[in-house]
Amino acid sequence: MFERHWNGDLLAKIFGFAFILVGIVGFIPNPLISETGFFQVNEAHNLVHIVTGLLFLGGAYFDAPVWTIRAIAVLYTIVAIAGFAIPDNMLFGAVAMNMADRWLHAAFAAVLLLVGFMAPAHEPMRQARQ
C-alpha cells in the first residue's frame, strides 16, 4: 500500500527545500531559529542545514531519493543520540544546540527512519516513471 503512494522524489525535494530555508532563516535574527531563538543555532548549524538540504535535493535529482532519505535518517539518528549524550550545548565542539534542537533532531530522525525504511527498496529510473 505504501509503495503505491510513495513519491520519494517529492519527499526528498520537500525536505531539501525545507532544510535550505531553515538554514537561511537561521542567519537572520528571529525568535524561532537563531543564536538566541527557541531553536539555538550558529553559523555551523545553519550550514549543516543547508548542506543537508542540498543532499536531499541531490538525491531527488539523481534518482536516489530512498537511499538519500535512509542515509540522512541514520545520520540524524546519530546526531540525536550524540545530542543527548553530550552535556553541553555544542555538538562536536562546533554546532550550537539546545534541548529543543535535541528533541527536534530525534523526532526528525524517527520520521526519516519511518519514511525511508517503509519505502520500496527499488528506485525505478526516471525514464521508467514517465
Side-chain angles (χ1 to χ4, degrees):
M1 182 172 150
F2 189 70
E3 187 168 341
R4 280 188 285 162
H5 301 291
W6 170 253
N7 187 336
D9 284 345
L10 179 60
L11 283 174
K13 287 175 186 176
I14 289 169
F15 290 145
F17 287 121
F19 266 82
I20 291 170
L21 180 63
V22 166
I24 292 169
V25 169
F27 285 109
I28 302 165
N30 67 81
L32 186 60
I33 306 165
S34 67
E35 289 186 13
T36 59
F38 182 75
F39 295 103
Q40 182 183 351
V41 297
N42 61 358
E43 288 182 12
H45 201 151
N46 294 329
L47 291 174
V48 168
H49 286 151
I50 291 169
V51 168
T52 302
L54 292 172
L55 289 172
F56 275 122
L57 292 178
Y61 287 105
F62 291 105
D63 286 327
V66 172
W67 293 107
T68 302
I69 291 171
R70 288 177 179 177
I72 293 173
V74 170
L75 288 174
Y76 263 78
T77 300
I78 293 166
V79 166
I81 292 167
F84 285 110
I86 297 171
D88 65 8
N89 285 341
M90 283 301 241
L91 184 63
F92 308 121
V95 178
M97 65 183 331
N98 59 9
M99 193 55 71
D101 289 307
R102 288 172 172 89
W103 284 109
L104 184 61
H105 292 150
F108 194 65
V111 167
L112 286 178
L113 287 168
L114 181 70
V115 168
F117 288 96
M118 285 188 65
H122 67 282
E123 296 186 77
M125 297 301 290
R126 193 174 301 277
Q127 295 86 354
R129 284 187 257 154
Q130 294 176 355

